[in-house]
Amino acid sequence: MDVLKKEEVYTIEDIYALPDGQRAELIDGKIYYMTPPNTKHQRLVHFFDREIGNYIQSHKGECEVFPAPFAVFLNKNDKNYVEPDISVICDKNKITDKGCNGAPDWGIEIVSSGSRKMDYYKKLFKYRTSEVREYWVVDPEKKVVTVYDFEKDNMEEYPFGIDIPVSIYEGFTIKVE
């Protein structure tokens, strides 16, 4: 007789119980461990943090930009916890001492060899269904940025080196080199 193996369902408590220094994300109750980012990845995180932060500050914007590690609790349940490389949050009521309760307005993920499937598939679906307004997947290996504008139900790919329009900010473009 075949017995179905019961798959363990994890919660945010399990994420907080991880050993110091161990980073992971939680999607639909499944833990996905994260490898430490490389230098190119960190340079891109810093670049986006600086570009977006400077734009918001110079336009006296209400939104805030948070680089990873920054906790985003996508849903009202305790089965989804992600750390986008960049989170832009415009609703101050979502921001707490622990992170962001609910979807950020704009999320950016920088692809690494170990995160490709997560960034292009699992997170894309979760972000879309949790009402993220805009999602960028930055692929340094392919030198392309895939932009998902969920409000307009649109997807565009842009090569590095050209101005990429930001949907949530009219007139704001970013050139990824």
Side-chain angles (χ1 to χ4, degrees):
M1 178 165 111
D2 289 332
V3 177
L4 289 177
K5 183 180 168 196
K6 184 178 184 288
E7 191 171 309
E8 184 113 21
V9 177
Y10 295 95
T11 67
I12 290 166
E13 274 186 34
D14 295 305
I15 293 291
Y16 284 128
L18 292 172
D20 283 348
Q22 176 68 63
R23 289 180 54 211
E25 294 178 307
L26 182 68
I27 296 181
D28 296 328
K30 185 169 181 189
I31 291 180
Y32 296 89
Y33 294 96
M34 299 163 68
T35 58
N38 64 28
T39 303
K40 186 184 291 186
H41 180 280
Q42 289 305 93
R43 283 185 178 130
L44 283 166
V45 169
H46 179 68
F47 166 77
F48 282 110
D49 183 32
R50 189 180 61 243
E51 290 289 308
I52 298 165
N54 287 345
Y55 178 84
I56 292 169
Q57 185 177 23
S58 70
H59 288 79
K60 297 178 180 25
E62 294 294 314
C63 304
E64 289 186 68
V65 59
F66 295 93
F70 181 74
V72 173
F73 306 95
L74 281 176
N75 307 98
K76 296 196 186 322
N77 65 36
D78 64 350
K79 309 274 186 298
N80 291 286
Y81 165 98
V82 293
E83 292 183 3
D85 290 310
I86 297 289
S87 298
V88 178
I89 302 149
C90 301
D91 181 352
K92 302 270 191 236
N93 294 320
K94 289 183 178 180
I95 302 169
T96 69
D97 285 343
K98 288 191 172 191
C100 176
N101 286 323
D105 292 270
W106 180 15
I108 299 175
E109 295 287 359
I110 298 159
V111 176
S112 63
S113 58
S115 74
R116 188 167 297 282
K117 229 191 269 188
M118 280 290 286
D119 296 336
Y120 280 107
Y121 299 104
K122 287 191 186 309
K123 286 185 179 178
L124 170 63
F125 177 77
K126 288 313 288 183
Y127 290 155
R128 182 183 191 106
T129 58
S130 64
E131 299 180 5
V132 169
R133 293 168 56 199
E134 184 167 357
Y135 175 49
W136 287 23
V137 180
V138 180
D139 194 328
E141 190 178 300
K142 295 180 178 180
K143 294 188 177 351
V144 69
V145 179
T146 308
V147 175
Y148 299 91
D149 179 348
F150 295 134
E151 290 182 316
K152 294 181 183 147
D153 199 26
N154 189 42
M155 185 273 286
E156 297 280 337
E157 283 191 346
Y158 298 90
F160 280 22
I162 68 166
D163 287 327
I164 303 170
V166 177
S167 295
I168 69 166
Y169 291 116
E170 180 117 8
F172 179 34
T173 62
I174 297 178
K175 185 186 293 188
V176 182
E177 299 291 347

